[in-house]
Amino acid sequence: MAINRTGLLYDQRFLTHMTGDESAVITREKMFHLSPAPHPSSSFLIQRTKEFLDGSGLSAHLHALSSRAATLDEITTYHTQEYVAGMHECAVNGPMIGPFTRSWGFVDEDTVISPGSYEAALYSVGGALNAVQATLNGEVHNAYALLRPPGHHAMSNQALGFCMFNNVALAAHYARRTFGVERIMIIDWDVHHGNGTQNAFYSDPGVLFVSLHQENWFPGHSGTLEESGSDKGIGYNVNVPLPPGTGDRGYLAAFDQLIAPLGQLYRPELILVSNGVDACWLDPLAQMMMTMDGYRQLTLRVVALAEELCSGRIVLLHEGGYSVPYAPYCTAATIEALSGIDLGIVDLYATSSELVRCQEIYSPATQDALHAARETYMRWWKI
Ligand SMILES: [Zn+2]
């Protein structure tokens, strides 16, 4: 196998999506301001992660892939033409901060669209497509796209949860249209529910969507067991809502009990992963207690599954991850596992007793959640 077998896609343009600062503190009686701190989805996080990959020497072992602007034709495989024009209009008039509704759609209160955001979002989608292209045409064995803005919450005409265009859904459409791929498995282990991706393929058996996420978290009431697909896609939309504090063992059990058996029955020709590192124990936007090693083990498993089922054809697309100190570690561990490179990076919190707890916990609530998911999807799959 060639050296540099794993592609790494990154583009400086991703940093021109500026989400601004936050400073407000709200008490029962009033609101006041502190010195500003970066918005949770600040460009700072991706920049630090890229610096980590470069500084550790990991980037030098990877095959650098470049991005491009996705075309309107490619973006409208999911999004409406009016919505794409609306995103452009917001950027021209930006910064625009939701919530607001227009004739073309909706932007929520979490999502900021700055003057550079439209171009960054076009390149984020184009990056996802290029990573898929490089993997399917054999330029690389597999790939990691360090994208920004993220995509899995974006609906056909709604910008939600920091997302403008749905990178992973558009990547799946691209693989089908350009390479004739008939069965794609999308695994979404970002801690939030991939509602936009679910929506894109809800009645479509050509995509098996499996989401592990914190139950009833974001978007609220989204990602329940009852949302199992419709029409020809019934059973092909798999939600695995997990309780807070699931930890490494719970995620790995979810993989072993649900993701791997489903993959073996579905036999995808390509696996796409929405990799959010916001299930980590230090993430300020969730409560799932994954560690750097948990991300490594989870990725090793999905790589082995891809080797077994689809000649190793797997592309990971970066979604969320908001712990400034720890997200770069979790991302690096993911890419190490994807590429088979081990640089011996020591966990930033290796001396913390909390880290051990995150690795060992496997609560009855987690076991019940996995049991409930298996019971639900046994209706369609022999798992
Ligand atoms: Zn997330």
Side-chain angles (χ1 to χ4, degrees), residues 243 245-252 288-291 358-359 361 366:
T246 286
D248 290 354
R249 283 185 63 192
Y251 271 86
L252 295 174
M288 289 308 257
M289 293 173 68
M290 278 264 281
T291 72
C358 292
Q359 287 166 345
I361 193 168
T366 300

Side-chain angles (χ1 to χ4, degrees), residues 152 190-192 278 320 322:
H152 73 148
D190 183 284
V191 78
H192 306 104
D278 45 10
Y322 308 100

Side-chain angles (χ1 to χ4, degrees), residues 40-192:
S41 75
S42 158
S43 60
F44 187 55
L45 281 144
I46 292 293
Q47 192 171 9
R48 276 173 54 91
T49 298
K50 182 60 168 53
E51 287 166 0
F52 191 107
L53 301 179
D54 294 346
S56 65
L58 193 51
S59 298
H61 289 277
L62 308 173
H63 181 91
L65 297 172
S66 56
S67 189
R68 64 176 172 85
T71 66
L72 183 62
D73 181 49
E74 289 165 339
I75 292 181
T76 54
T77 55
Y78 178 44
H79 298 284
T80 66
Q81 207 156 344
E82 296 75 22
Y83 173 76
V84 180
M87 288 292 100
H88 183 244
E89 181 190 308
C90 285
V92 168
N93 298 321
M96 303 268 292
I97 304 170
F100 55 84
T101 302
R102 298 282 185 274
S103 59
W104 47 260
F106 175 71
V107 176
D108 79 352
E109 66 272 18
D110 296 322
T111 309
V112 182
I113 302 171
S114 71
S117 297
Y118 182 73
E119 190 186 33
L122 291 184
Y123 272 81
S124 193
V125 175
L129 308 191
N130 274 5
V132 166
Q133 179 188 47
T135 302
L136 292 183
N137 71 15
E139 183 185 348
V140 293
H141 185 63
N142 55 33
Y144 193 93
L146 185 61
L147 305 176
R148 188 173 175 279
H152 73 148
H153 295 307
M155 304 284 275
S156 62
N157 66 346
Q158 295 179 31
L160 305 175
F162 315 147
C163 302
M164 292 170 63
F165 300 136
N166 195 313
N167 302 320
V168 72
L170 297 171
H173 279 302
Y174 171 79
R176 297 210 291 200
R177 285 209 313 175
T178 310
F179 290 91
V181 177
E182 291 180 354
R183 290 182 312 284
I184 300 171
M185 185 173 186
I186 299 178
I187 303 167
D188 184 332
W189 62 51
D190 183 284
V191 78
H192 306 104

